[in-house]
Amino acid sequence: MLAIIGGTGLTRLSTLAVRHREVIRTPYGEPSAALVFGELAGYRALFLARHGHGHTIPPHRVNYRANLWALKEQGASAVLAVASVGGIRDAIPGDLVLPHQLIDYTSGRAHTFFDGGDQQVVHIDFTHPYSQRLRAVCLAGAKRGRIALRDGGVYGAVCGPRLETAAEIDRMDRDGATLVGMTGMPEAGLARELGIDYASVCVVVNHAAGRGDSTAHVSMEQIANVLESAMDKVRTLIQHVVPLVPGEPRARTQPVSAVTSESAVDDP
Ligand code: HPA
């Protein structure tokens, strides 16, 4: 089953017909929010708000391990992570980008399930951090939905919550990062450790610090405006991606009146 992790601007998925919500406990604590079980485009799907339903959990405080563990335990075999990012190069505000690589600049986050103790030492392959299969499905879904989705980008994951200095962005650019965001790691690594197919749809909400119209400063107002308009494209994209995910279980047919739209459901 496909799980969607919604980031800033996507704490609810209005296209998800909600069946039920469940607070899941994991050996790593509680996920960011109750998992939302429902249907997207007639297929069973899961939704999790990365920053909590009220958008109160900053990127460095997200319990990434609990989030991924809960999704896996509840049957997610693939995760499509929606994330807002700054554009360093080849990306301008409003663009949707499907990165193919990442560089991890984060530190101090609980970033692995293989944490020693009485476990064997485990190393995972992470040469290609995003699932090639799920990326291909996203690109096909974008084509069907006529949504412009840039194929490829290098996601630089930073701690935040502050934005970067212009010099930090210059360094990331020299490193080869084309996007900068605060949540891509350890999320992608943990998904790989659990054997979950993981891809990320990045919504470019601003030029990164020192670039384009962020030369003097990064405008929070612009970020809010771009987020709002871009998320409609993300919802449409997801609708077209879900039916293409291999092995997606078709939902039981039930009268539409038996389900509620996510947007109509109050926070728990
Ligand atoms: N930097 C880091 N994370 C972000 C940015 C940014 O400019 N924009 C959105 N998320």
Side-chain angles (χ1 to χ4, degrees), residues 86-93 95 97 150 178-179 204 206-207:
I88 299 176
R89 63 166 60 227
D90 302 332
I92 59 166
D95 283 354
V97 184
R150 180 183 278 270
T178 62
L179 308 166
V204 182
N206 59 284
H207 280 113

Side-chain angles (χ1 to χ4, degrees), residues 84-86 158 163-164 180-182 205-206 208:
S84 65
V85 297
V158 296
L163 297 179
E164 300 67 44
V180 54
M182 300 179 189
V205 292
N206 59 284

